[in-house]
Amino acid sequence: MSGEILVIGAANTDLTTYVDRIPEGGETIHGNNFTTGFGGKGANQAVAAKRAGATVALIAGLGADIFGENTKSHLETEGIDTSGIFYGKQPSGVAHIWVDAKGENRIIIVPGANLELTEEFISNAVLKSVNLSIVIAQCELPQEFAIAAFKSAKKKGAITILNPAPAVKLSAELISLSDWIIPNQIEFNSLSSEIHGGDLIEQIKIFHPDKNLLVTLGSDGAILRTNQGEIIKVTAPKTEVIDTTGAGDGFVGAFAAALSAGKELRTALEFAIKFATNSVSKKGAQSSYPTDLKII
Ligand code: RIB
């Protein structure tokens, strides 16, 4: 199935503070470290898929500022097709991130110019794509953007992957256009809140059974359920956790790269878990993705 992976989503600059513990309201404390890095769920997934060996294009919005300039040249250095970058009037997107001693984060995003993308711009960019195999979207930007992308993806015969992050109530139209839904456990709990009773596996079996579903479980690995009802569970290798920021995005990008390369589902799942696990022992989002772990 090898072809291009097109990602629609935010490109942000991550402003990250590392701190022993998260301050209480009204409290001032000292942080240990501050970093500026490349982030945004869309850009993270694009970079992960590219580093995993796929051919990748990104549709995102940037502002005419230094963050936008740096992001564009970084994406080009990574080898990502940036012809789908839209320049808006607002500043480039930023994410303020706090990472505590356990590697857990709290994130506030200000999407800025990413929100100035339009459905028309996105549809045209998807339709223009040559040799398209997979289109990926998340929920950091309005669902209408993902719907426009997925409608055009269907016209091109591409597979659609929805990463419903951060957790929001999904429209029935977006679900119906998604071939794969890849939430983490918190997002899955929120999406499946109407399913009462049963353990996680039971809920995974029942949730939109006509879709392929992949629930990531952090250090516990992930559970995949196909639209034929097959279940594959893979555990994650143990590793030191420094910063989990962008690990889920790394997983999605690496999984898509493996699917695009025509790998079996279990192989794709094992690869994505290895890729994401590798990333949590390093700081940052894109800065933590391995460059020596290829699926192709
Ligand atoms: O998933 C992690 C990402 O969420 C960060 O890179 C940040 O930019 C926010 O979009």
Side-chain angles (χ1 to χ4, degrees), residues 226-241:
T226 68
N227 57 9
Q228 303 297 308
E230 187 192 356
I231 301 260
I232 305 173
K233 185 170 189 325
V234 173
T235 53
K238 296 277 163 265
T239 191
E240 186 194 9
V241 179

Side-chain angles (χ1 to χ4, degrees), residues 10-14 38-42 44-45 94-97 105 107-109 140 165 244-249 284-286 289:
N12 296 333
T13 297
D14 289 352
F38 297 108
K41 294 186 194 304
N44 292 349
Q45 293 174 12
V94 290
H96 293 265
I97 304 179
N105 59 45
I107 305 181
I108 299 177
I109 51 169
E140 210 163 39
T244 57
T245 307
D249 301 327
Q286 293 169 38
Y289 298 153

Side-chain angles (χ1 to χ4, degrees), residues 82 128 132 258 280:
T82 57
K128 259 197 284 181
L132 187 64
V280 301

